[in-house]
């Protein structure tokens, strides 16, 4: 039985249609700072958590977004696909899985996310300050044992979508999806 | 004397270098909802206000971002340039200029913003509900007198940058700019 959310296939199609563009896996993640003001930055889509609709993002626990998420655990993704003129706004709660997590299953997921990235991309977590956002595989002269597990500052973010708003600017179609968690189902609302 | 902020020329250069791409004038605008959660959507850069560093965005007063901004008047732009691999994060207060504004000068600016858009782009403000985001010039069968002034729901947003964070993923350069309003000057911090 597939329990996949109805918006997920739409998103997978968009990812596929735009995959020839390097930036197609980049999206903007909005959070709320501890002073109540918004913040926004580009991050990289690291796939869905196996068997779920949760979106994976890698982060450095020293980056500002971690502080934001500790204050307010909600985020909104805005993902615009430049080839197909489609926008996904994905709102949900973020589970922050860092080295101090007490759940062995979550720590396993964090380790899997670490090894899913290239050795080069792992190097950014080794410096004295958070590295430049890992939008790209930056060249580096540092070296790292490829079998070494995640460093302490490596953090896996899991965004669990509650609301998804889809917009297609070619067809002028708009769709809104809202999870109804209590019945483990999705309410589907066609807006336009 | 030029009073332009030091980040402005950097941004103008990026806009120019990416101008062959239709989506180069699109950026993501994060705001905070009245329930304290973030929201995020793609909007269109409508230029700088004449003689200032303020960023212009057009909006429909019935859209959710207006409600957000009435609750929390701060926003953060995340603008990623896909050709040159540059990101600008621009944080600041947003001045919301709608039909009810009592300042004649601001109403003039709102009118100028209305006429700066194409007749077709103005049509989206005429429907019974907010139109699809005006990322594109959507075809429509409605008509509008091209000399008619702004409709009531047309709203001009002016974002006044306080913090600008620049990232260049080709050169691995990062620059942070913070306004120091009290002395009408910019503090320039080279982070990396």
């Amino acid at each position: 039985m597939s329990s996949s959310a109805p918006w997920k296939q739409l998103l997978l199609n968009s990812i596929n249609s735009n995959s020839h563009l390097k930036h197609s896996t980049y999206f903007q993640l909005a959070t709320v700072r501890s002073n109540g003001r918004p913040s926004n930055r580009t991050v990289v889509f690291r796939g869905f958590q196996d068997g779920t609709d949760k979106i994976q993002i890698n982060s450095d626990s020293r980056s500002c977004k971690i502080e934001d998420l500790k204050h307010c655990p909600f985020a909104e993704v805005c993902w615009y696909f430049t080839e197909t003129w489609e926008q996904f706004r994905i709102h949900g709660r973020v589970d922050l899985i860092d080295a101090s997590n007490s759940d062995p299953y979550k720590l396993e997921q964090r380790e899997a996310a670490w090894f899913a990235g290239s050795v080069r991309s792992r190097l950014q977590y080794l410096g004295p300050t958070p590295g430049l956002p890992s939008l790209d595989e930056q060249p580096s002269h540092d070296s790292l044992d490829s079998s070494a597990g995640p460093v302490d500052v490596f953090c896996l973010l899991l965004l669990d979508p509650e609301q998804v708003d889809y917009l297609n600017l070619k067809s002028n179609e708009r769709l809104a999806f809202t999870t109804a968690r209590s019945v483990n189902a999705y309410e589907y609302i066609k807006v336009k």
Side-chain angles (χ1 to χ4, degrees), chain A residues 92-182:
Chain A
R93 181 182 275 271
V94 178
D95 192 10
L96 200 153
I97 308 175
D98 63 13
S100 71
N101 205 291
S102 58
D103 182 334
Y105 176 64
K106 289 185 177 178
L107 286 176
E108 255 176 55
Q109 295 179 301
R110 174 174 169 267
E111 191 174 82
W114 171 262
F115 285 113
S118 68
V119 172
R120 190 168 269 181
S121 73
R122 296 174 209 161
L123 288 169
Q124 67 176 304
Y125 297 98
L126 298 184
T129 56
L132 291 171
S134 55
L135 298 185
D136 193 46
E137 307 292 327
Q138 283 125 12
S140 170
H141 302 295
D142 299 330
S143 65
L144 176 73
D145 176 0
S146 64
S147 64
V151 295
D152 276 0
V153 299
F154 179 74
C155 189
L156 170 63
L157 306 181
L158 280 179
L159 188 150
D160 190 9
E162 286 183 14
Q163 298 167 354
V164 176
D165 185 275
Y166 168 77
L167 179 65
N168 185 317
L169 290 172
K170 288 191 179 173
S171 66
N172 281 352
E173 186 184 24
R174 185 168 208 164
L175 297 170
F177 304 92
T178 307
T179 60
R181 297 233 169 268
S182 55

Side-chain angles (χ1 to χ4, degrees), chain A residues 6-19 48 81 84 86 88 166:
Chain A
W7 53 265
K8 191 175 176 181
Q9 192 55 51
L10 210 56
L11 179 55
L12 289 170
N13 293 349
S14 302
I15 292 169
N16 190 49
S17 305
N18 292 267
S19 61
F48 290 100
F81 290 94
T84 53
E86 294 167 294
F88 290 80
Y166 168 77

